[in-house]
Amino acid sequence: MEKTIKFLKYKYIAIGGYWAVVIMLLAGTFINGGFNYGIDFAGGYKIIAKFQDSSVSEGVIRKALNDFNPTVQKIGEESKNQYIITTKLENTAVASSKDSADQTSNSKYDMLKKTLNEKFTGVSIQSEETVGPAIGDYLRKSAWKLTFMAVLLMSIYLAFRFEVKYAVGGMISLFHDMIMSVAFCGIMGIEINVQILAALLTLYGYSINDTIVIFDRIRETDQLRAKTTFEDVINKAITQTLTRTLLTGVTTLFAVLVLFLIGGEALHEFSLVLLFGIIAGTFSSIYIASPITLWWEKWRAAK
């Protein structure tokens, strides 16, 4: 006879631990001064520069432009000696006048290019991009709205694919993943930009896929139950899909770990968010989505 692990027996401990972690992450984010937005959302500059001096490195460029707190990344072939240099509009609020905001942006951008040419000889600017503070603020608000809509649409899909009780569990599970992942970015000082939002949406898709597998097994098992309770059905479904969940999670973690170790600076934060989110998503499928579905079923049965 197949042994069933009573996962939901520890649901209150697991959920209590989750809230403890969330509070810790959010408190750490507040202590660190809030979220660290990239130039896409805070305004700033991006330059692709080519250096004639082959001895130039990422560290040398960062030191030379230290006043601008830049992010430097080498791109392309080694012989081309090209670097992406990005810097944000530090301590610049969204100006009330569009013209004054543009003037501030252009002034700091000119200072950056001037410093770059003074510190290095033979520098050629291959491309340049400027995001003003007003545009950055608009993009930031739009990005969060679209992220919320993505979670909402996934929940609507669950309602059509299964039942309302599963949609409620899946939606709260996704919000769990969103809060955990964003708070993790805050406490770690990870720059929130378009790349990180892509990682977050990838995690939502991964998490909901894992949740759907469990929900599908719950529904199949529930149709065959006789004298067992709905909680026993959920425990049995999680136990039956546990091997699949662990194998999928571990293999995905290995792939992302490779990106983290050898992907370079460009993929370091992206892969770090994925590593954390995969673990959080696996947890939420078992200890957030499933208990919420159970409580919803009990509430509906008591009506």
Side-chain angles (χ1 to χ4, degrees):
M1 184 178 178
E2 181 184 7
K3 183 179 179 180
T4 300
I5 304 173
K6 296 186 180 299
F7 287 97
L8 297 189
K9 179 180 179 180
Y10 309 101
K11 56 184 178 291
Y12 294 109
I13 297 175
I15 293 175
Y18 150 68
W19 280 109
V21 172
V22 168
I23 292 172
M24 181 189 69
L25 293 176
L26 291 176
T29 300
F30 177 77
I31 292 172
N32 289 343
F35 296 108
N36 178 26
Y37 290 102
I39 68 168
D40 302 316
F41 303 140
Y45 330 104
K46 178 188 290 184
I47 294 175
I48 297 180
K50 184 175 181 180
F51 296 81
Q52 288 184 356
D53 187 356
S54 58
S55 64
V56 171
S57 64
E58 293 178 355
V60 172
I61 298 173
R62 286 194 199 96
K63 185 176 180 181
L65 302 176
N66 185 57
D67 292 340
F68 299 92
N69 193 24
T71 299
V72 184
Q73 175 196 350
K74 189 166 187 176
I75 61 172
E77 299 176 6
E78 189 74 23
S79 59
K80 290 186 177 180
N81 213 27
Q82 290 182 322
Y83 294 85
I84 295 179
I85 304 170
T86 60
T87 183
K88 293 185 291 184
L89 289 172
E90 299 290 349
N91 300 321
T92 303
V94 178
S96 57
S97 167
K98 181 178 183 298
D99 291 337
S100 62
D102 290 340
Q103 289 172 2
T104 302
S105 175
N106 291 334
S107 175
K108 292 194 174 186
Y109 188 41
D110 291 339
M111 289 174 59
L112 173 65
K113 291 195 292 184
K114 181 180 178 181
T115 304
L116 190 64
N117 284 303
E118 287 177 351
K119 298 287 185 178
F120 302 97
T121 57
V123 179
S124 61
I125 306 298
Q126 305 293 301
S127 70
E128 49 192 88
E129 177 184 340
T130 305
V131 178
I135 296 297
D137 183 66
Y138 171 78
L139 291 175
R140 181 173 67 250
K141 292 177 180 177
S142 298
W144 288 125
K145 289 177 182 178
L146 291 173
T147 302
F148 174 80
M149 287 178 61
V151 174
L152 183 62
L153 288 173
M154 290 181 190
S155 303
I156 293 173
Y157 163 75
L158 282 178
F160 279 100
R161 178 69 172 79
F162 296 97
E163 301 174 34
V164 175
K165 62 184 178 184
Y166 297 109
V168 172
M171 180 176 67
I172 295 177
S173 174
L174 282 176
F175 275 111
H176 155 271
D177 295 340
M178 177 188 294
I179 293 171
M180 288 283 282
S181 300
V182 172
F184 176 75
C185 291
I187 197 172
M188 295 297 294
I190 294 175
E191 188 176 274
I192 299 178
N193 49 33
V194 173
Q195 189 181 50
I196 294 301
L197 279 183
L200 293 176
L201 291 174
T202 300
L203 289 172
Y204 302 155
Y206 175 88
S207 178
I208 199 62
N209 178 68
D210 195 36
T211 303
I212 285 174
V213 171
I214 295 176
F215 281 172
D216 204 34
R217 187 57 60 90
I218 292 174
R219 188 175 61 174
E220 291 175 359
T221 308
D222 192 36
Q223 292 173 349
L224 300 174
R225 71 167 163 158
K227 298 180 180 180
T228 56
T229 63
F230 190 58
E231 182 172 344
D232 292 332
V233 169
I234 295 177
N235 283 326
K236 185 175 181 180
I238 297 175
T239 302
Q240 291 175 341
T241 58
L242 184 61
T243 301
R244 180 264 176 200
T245 299
L246 292 177
L247 288 176
T248 303
V250 170
T251 52
T252 307
L253 280 173
F254 282 155
V256 176
L257 186 61
V258 172
L259 289 178
F260 178 77
L261 295 175
I262 65 174
E265 184 182 352
L267 295 176
H268 186 268
E269 293 184 342
F270 175 83
S271 53
L272 183 60
V273 173
L274 286 178
L275 284 171
F276 176 83
I278 289 170
I279 297 172
T282 302
F283 170 86
S284 69
S285 297
I286 297 174
Y287 280 114
I288 300 296
S290 299
I292 294 297
T293 303
L294 173 64
W295 291 331
W296 183 273
E297 176 69 8
K298 288 182 176 180
W299 173 79
R300 192 182 66 172
K303 291 181 65 177

